[in-house]
Amino acid sequence: MKEALLDLNSAIKSYSPNEVFFCPEESQFYAQCLEKMALNHCTPTDSVVEFGAGDGSPVISCLLKINFDATVSGYELNPSACEIAESRIEQYQLSSKYKIYNQCFFKNAPAEASYLIANPPYLPAPDEDLYMPSLHGGLDGATITKQLLSIGCKNVFLMISAYSNPVETVEYAIDQGYQIVDFMISPLKFGYYSREPKVKNTIADLRKNRKAFYSRNIYFLAGVLFRQKNDLDLDLSTEFLKVMTSL
């Protein structure tokens, strides 16, 4: 099983990081969060939709480790990433559990699902002229994240960066009727995409307005489970923001 998980990164080596998103540390953390907060809790009657499946490695890593009897429908616009994901799904015989669609999520995803999962684009920049344009998350990095929170799915699992306006993102989620019921946070170093000058400068501007939080060496990335408000769950929104804004 360990060899299988290591092989998930092999196919992507033929593509540059400008063609297919490549950040093993982030993908691994996304997989860990998915397993703990979403996929491990699904029943056979649950449906899961994924915005931006990428090369498929985070979900595949989870499915190789857990007993999962539902179905994940992943939507990805990048045809190269779809090719890699479909090859891996076939390699690990997961086609009955994970299906990739080279289509726009917002136009084609089912109207209702038990879980919406995503590591959405969160690079803040004034425009999409970036190393990888598909990673552009709007001027504050939170535009796509807010779109996903406006769909109305009962459970929404998202990766959220501390330098992409996390406070207003959580406030928006609350306004949409959500509360945070679980989260995991990991420190990451600034990498290839976030060190691009246009992105770096935008992050610095956001910090001046208390919309980005980071230290000289690291920022926090979080996996966050939002759930529509009910009386059974504790709301961890305050605790989450205290950690995310601590740097």
Side-chain angles (χ1 to χ4, degrees), residues 196-215:
E196 183 173 2
K198 182 181 292 187
V199 175
K200 186 177 181 181
N201 292 337
T202 304
I203 292 173
D205 289 339
L206 289 171
R207 186 181 190 183
K208 295 175 184 177
N209 295 313
R210 298 287 293 171
K211 294 184 177 182
F213 306 87
Y214 58 92
S215 71

Side-chain angles (χ1 to χ4, degrees), residues 6-102:
L6 292 175
D7 285 345
L8 287 175
N9 286 327
S10 61
I12 202 169
K13 293 179 181 178
S14 60
Y15 291 90
S16 80
N18 290 2
E19 296 175 285
V20 177
F21 175 75
F22 182 68
C23 181
E25 297 83 3
E26 182 167 329
S27 294
Q28 182 179 22
F29 182 56
Y30 178 33
Q32 292 170 345
C33 294
L34 274 179
E35 178 185 348
K36 176 181 181 288
M37 287 182 267
L39 300 189
N40 234 347
H41 301 283
C42 290
T43 67
T45 60
D46 285 330
S47 60
V48 183
V49 293
E50 181 182 27
F51 170 87
D55 65 13
S57 57
V59 171
I60 292 172
S61 294
C62 289
L63 297 182
L64 290 173
K65 294 170 61 179
I66 65 176
N67 293 321
F68 182 80
D69 296 319
T71 301
V72 179
S73 299
Y75 291 81
E76 174 57 54
L77 287 176
N78 185 330
S80 298
C82 285
E83 182 181 1
I84 296 172
E86 289 169 349
S87 175
R88 290 172 172 170
I89 290 169
E90 181 179 357
Q91 177 183 358
Y92 294 104
Q93 301 179 343
L94 295 171
S95 58
S96 64
K97 298 181 179 182
Y98 193 18
K99 301 182 184 301
I100 299 293
Y101 300 93
N102 188 198

